[in-house]
Amino acid sequence: MTFHFDFKIVVAGPFAAGKTTMINAISDDDVVGTEAPTSGAEAAVKATTTVGMEYGTLRAAGEGFSAELSIYGVPGQERFKFMWDIVGTGMDGFFLLVDASRPETWSDSLAVGNYFRQTRSTPIVVGVNRAAGRPDLVDEIRTAVPLEGAHYLGFDVVDRDGVRGALVELLGLVLDSLPDEALEHHLVADAAAVGGPE
Amino acid sequence: MNTTSLSPLQRMAIERAQETLAEFVYSMNDVTGALLASLDGRPIVSDLAQHQGENQVAAIVASSFGLGQRMVELLGPSRVDEIVVRSESGLVIVYAAGNEGALVVLTRPSVNLGLLHLRARDVASLLKGATDSRRSFAP
């Protein structure tokens, strides 16, 4: 007997952390995005930015279960905070993306993380971008962006396997955190809809 | 917006846009405010009631416009021209202003929508210059 679940995951983090790249690297289906050209100081950092949300999916299977993650990305800039509230509603797991190579964004990262953890208590993974195979950088982020109960791991948003590993880690935390009766609400009746192994 | 980093030409375009917008809001019955935003959510020129923060309004307009763009793509490849949101308190309408801006207009419920569309589309087209001139500067 295999159980099929679906969960909502929100990916947040400061401007230019790599959220859009990450979701595009991993999604099993075409990503629905809302990119707009940047202006002013932000145009010097990159050409486009997410102004609404992104939506992608990831299917994963383990022993006795399969899961489909609906992955939502939100804009990083604080002026889009209202989208954090809208998209954050009903999330089951929270993924904070931090760029190890840009220390000037770490305090913003912490502010984003704190905002989401204050509004709802779900499992948290802090993904440290540009820190694949660099535990020293991950430790540095653990100190600079301290979120109680969060798991920290280093990866690179352009590396599909790394992104997958990070999201599967979050899925594990979500599964562990939910009591059986809560898990039932995430059961998908039609197994074919998930496409997991039988 | 802060215009100190702009060239004289760009500043002139912004000032002209500000006048166009103010004249539009003043001359239209039941229009209570308007703002031109860049598509990444920054205010360019605005004529709003005191209590409305232009930064907040510009960000909401950009998100809505981005989602509206995704909505029209349900029909196939296309560009969003306008988004109309109606409520008991009035209407909020977002018009495309060139390729890099969006004009939002706030109205009372009693507004003449047909007339508004005619005027606002003209204004949006006049404001294009202000959004295009904005791309070229970075502090």
Side-chain angles (χ1 to χ4, degrees):
Chain A
M1 169 93 195
T2 303
F3 292 102
H4 304 279
F5 300 107
D6 62 357
F7 295 107
K8 175 174 179 176
I9 303 299
V10 173
V11 176
F15 173 69
K19 302 177 289 296
T20 301
T21 305
M22 171 178 159
I23 294 173
N24 277 291
I26 194 61
S27 184
D28 288 321
D29 302 304
D30 287 346
V31 173
V32 177
T34 53
E35 296 278 297
T38 48
S39 65
E42 287 173 8
V45 181
K46 55 179 189 157
T48 66
T49 189
T50 300
V51 293
M53 54 170 251
E54 268 133 19
Y55 174 77
T57 55
L58 174 65
R59 287 177 274 274
E63 206 170 306
F65 77 94
S66 68
E68 173 157 326
L69 304 184
S70 296
I71 302 162
Y72 290 81
V74 294
Q77 301 93 329
E78 213 195 334
R79 63 181 182 274
F80 292 117
K81 214 176 196 172
F82 58 91
M83 284 307 297
W84 304 355
D85 295 327
I86 293 171
V87 175
T89 303
M91 73 177 181
D92 303 304
F94 176 59
F95 195 100
L96 180 69
L97 188 59
V98 182
D99 186 343
S101 71
R102 294 171 64 226
E104 71 275 16
T105 66
W106 294 352
S107 65
D108 281 352
S109 305
L110 182 59
V112 174
N114 277 330
Y115 185 82
F116 274 90
R117 72 167 294 124
Q118 272 164 21
T119 45
R120 56 208 99 240
S121 60
T122 58
I124 302 176
V125 164
V126 177
V128 185
N129 188 15
R130 298 195 169 92
R134 289 290 303 274
D136 55 319
L137 288 176
V138 176
D139 281 343
E140 206 173 332
I141 297 298
R142 197 175 277 122
T143 309
V145 187
L147 291 173
E148 205 192 313
H151 282 214
Y152 292 74
L153 48 97
F155 72 136
D156 203 304
V157 292
V158 297
D159 171 36
R160 193 181 152 86
D161 290 339
V163 174
R164 188 178 177 86
L167 285 166
V168 167
E169 167 120 1
L170 180 55
L171 169 62
L173 296 179
V174 171
L175 287 168
D176 287 346
S177 72
L178 292 174
D180 287 350
E181 56 271 24
L183 271 178
E184 277 173 27
H185 293 292
H186 294 276
L187 273 176
V188 181
D190 180 9
V194 175
E198 292 308 303
Chain B
M1 71 180 274
N2 176 13
T3 57
T4 48
S5 55
L6 299 179
S7 75
L9 257 180
Q10 289 168 331
R11 203 172 309 146
M12 236 166 66
I14 297 288
E15 279 164 13
R16 204 176 310 129
Q18 180 66 56
E19 280 167 26
T20 304
L21 195 73
E23 202 273 330
F24 164 70
V25 171
Y26 178 76
S27 66
M28 279 292 296
N29 277 340
D30 296 320
V31 167
T32 57
L35 174 143
L36 178 69
S38 63
L39 293 188
D40 68 336
R42 312 260 220 146
I44 299 170
V45 292
S46 69
D47 190 336
L48 295 170
Q50 289 277 305
H51 64 278
Q52 288 158 330
E54 59 171 15
N55 290 320
Q56 179 74 350
V57 173
I60 292 171
V61 168
S63 291
S64 306
F65 198 83
L67 293 173
Q69 179 57 39
R70 296 310 310 213
M71 270 204 272
V72 296
E73 285 169 17
L74 296 174
L75 303 167
S78 192
R79 297 271 306 170
V80 63
D81 288 329
E82 56 211 29
I83 302 167
V84 180
V85 182
R86 189 187 294 271
S87 78
E88 246 175 43
S89 314
L91 284 79
V92 180
I93 304 138
V94 184
Y95 299 90
N99 290 325
E100 314 204 331
L103 168 69
V104 64
V105 180
L106 310 175
T107 81
R108 296 191 188 91
S110 50
V111 73
N112 179 335
L113 188 55
L115 182 61
L116 177 65
H117 279 334
L118 282 176
R119 286 287 318 277
R121 285 168 193 153
D122 282 348
V123 170
S125 151
L126 285 172
L127 294 177
K128 261 191 297 202
T131 60
D132 294 343
S133 70
R134 198 169 182 281
R135 280 283 279 159
S136 45
F137 84 93

